[in-house]
Amino acid sequence: VKVQPSKIVAVIEFSGWASDKKLAKQFNLLKSKLRAESLEFDDSYSFLGYNPPYKLINRKNEVIIPLINYKN
């Protein structure tokens, strides 16, 4: 377990099984959406998978990218 300081992130959700190829695709898709909104972001991502391995359908996954200097 590692405690991290609070941060604001952008998130994209996708279903199915996560693979390196799918993660890269979602990462690039989210980056293009952030660029379109002129938002600054860290060029790294984290993967969040919410389901146990025995759940075969309706799987929920997320790719998150930390935002830089985000102002509400």
Side-chain angles (χ1 to χ4, degrees), residues 11-43:
V11 178
I12 191 165
E13 183 180 325
F14 65 100
S15 61
W17 289 92
S19 64
D20 289 341
K21 185 177 179 178
K22 279 188 183 179
L23 290 172
K25 179 181 176 184
Q26 295 300 319
F27 178 48
N28 290 324
L29 179 60
L30 183 52
K31 287 194 306 185
S32 68
K33 290 177 182 279
L34 294 173
R35 283 187 190 108
E37 296 293 325
S38 300
L39 294 171
E40 293 181 71
F41 55 90
D42 187 13
D43 196 27

